[in-house]
Amino acid sequence: MLRYGTVRTRRANDVAYALYGPADGGTRPPLLFVHPINLRKECWLDMVVPLAGDRLCLTVDLAGHGESSDDADFGLAGWTSDCVDVVTALDLQPFHLVGCSLGGAIALCVAADLPGSALSVTAMGAYLGESDAGADRALLDLVDRNTVDELFVILAAEAVAPGSPPELVTTVRHLTNRHGKPIVRRVLEAAGAADGSPWLPRVRCPVLVLTGEFDSSCSPSDGAKLAASVDGRHEILPGVGHLPMLEDAGGVLRMMAPYLG
């Protein structure tokens, strides 16, 4: 079963989702997948296909991405609230959460807001807390100097491990945000200002933190620090950059398996 739909959230956002899996809901708890900023929900397909045989898999487009509406106030709290509303509207609790980059932080925040429903969180390339102000400024300067297409050509190549196949870089490029330069810039500004550390004390479920060996956005030490802050487990993914679900979906699934049992 594949079903597309939209949920109107409490913040009056229209959040698009795709639901994959058995028509009867399956025999195992569902999963919510949260994409990185400036990508979209289809980035999870390599992981969803093998998981959706016996459970429902829900992918969402965050506000300002994919088929969802834009938002007057992008930020971690708002994106988290929208995800909570989609899961609640579709009655998919209890559930596991999977997120990458800022999507990993959002997944942890959703788990904190729904402590009785979150069964586990797998966060890839994620960290919480203040970002590097210099790096944020350099990224915004890159936005200002380039068209959106030029920007994502650069960022797609940087997001994956060195020496990655050209078709992988092309795939990342085709999954990038089409909401226009002003929205892309505002999304990046919101991501730079995001600090999920206030949510962490309320995370009660097991947490797996995965960091790519060649992740240029989130270092292994950042991942280890996040895992320690939630009493979670940290693993390095060899030969992988910032987007493990596209670079090594099978490796991620093997590490996740004990958490989904």
Side-chain angles (χ1 to χ4, degrees):
M1 179 191 78
L2 167 61
R3 297 290 184 270
Y4 281 89
T6 303
V7 170
R8 173 60 64 95
T9 70
R10 288 169 290 173
R11 302 188 313 122
N13 286 327
D14 293 319
V15 174
Y17 68 85
L19 191 62
Y20 310 81
D24 63 0
T27 58
R28 293 188 171 190
L31 289 94
L32 168 66
F33 294 84
V34 188
H35 63 75
I37 58 165
N38 285 323
L39 289 187
R40 62 174 187 262
K41 61 184 180 296
E42 287 77 13
C43 72
W44 294 107
L45 283 176
D46 280 350
M47 290 183 57
V48 165
V49 169
L51 287 170
D54 58 1
R55 67 175 81 227
L56 293 175
C57 293
L58 172 67
T59 63
V60 298
D61 283 325
L62 298 173
H65 300 75
E67 298 170 286
S68 292
S69 62
D70 293 331
D71 195 339
D73 184 24
F74 292 121
L76 188 58
W79 282 319
T80 297
S81 174
D82 286 347
C83 288
V84 168
D85 287 353
V86 174
V87 170
T88 302
L90 297 178
D91 192 23
L92 294 182
Q93 304 176 55
F95 63 105
H96 299 274
L97 298 103
V98 185
C100 183
S101 192
L102 189 67
I106 294 169
L108 283 164
C109 294
V110 173
D113 282 353
L114 295 173
S117 298
L119 298 174
S120 75
V121 176
T122 299
M124 296 175 269
Y127 68 93
L128 297 181
E130 295 183 1
S131 60
D132 184 326
D136 291 342
R137 181 67 256 172
L139 181 56
L140 294 177
D141 287 344
L142 191 66
V143 176
D144 295 337
R145 293 196 310 269
N146 293 277
T147 67
V148 170
D149 286 341
E150 292 168 340
L151 172 71
F152 285 135
V153 166
I154 296 169
L155 295 184
E158 293 179 350
V160 296
S164 294
E167 58 267 27
L168 174 59
V169 179
T170 300
T171 297
V172 176
R173 170 67 189 87
H174 279 278
L175 288 167
T176 51
N177 198 344
R178 298 299 185 190
H179 280 234
K181 188 171 181 175
I183 295 299
V184 168
R185 196 182 196 284
R186 286 178 52 212
V187 164
L188 289 170
E189 287 180 312
D195 179 6
S197 54
W199 277 267
L200 294 186
R202 293 187 283 118
V203 175
R204 297 286 183 262
C205 61
V207 176
L208 172 64
V209 179
L210 302 176
T211 308
E213 177 186 7
F214 299 107
D215 191 333
S216 60
S217 300
C218 175
S219 69
S221 61
D222 289 330
K225 182 178 179 181
L226 172 59
S229 68
V230 289
D231 196 24
R233 172 185 165 201
H234 181 235
E235 296 287 349
I236 304 294
L237 290 165
V240 171
H242 190 56
L243 302 175
M245 69 284 195
L246 291 168
E247 299 177 77
D248 186 13
V252 174
L253 289 169
R254 285 190 293 273
M255 290 189 175
M256 284 174 53
Y259 291 79
L260 302 182

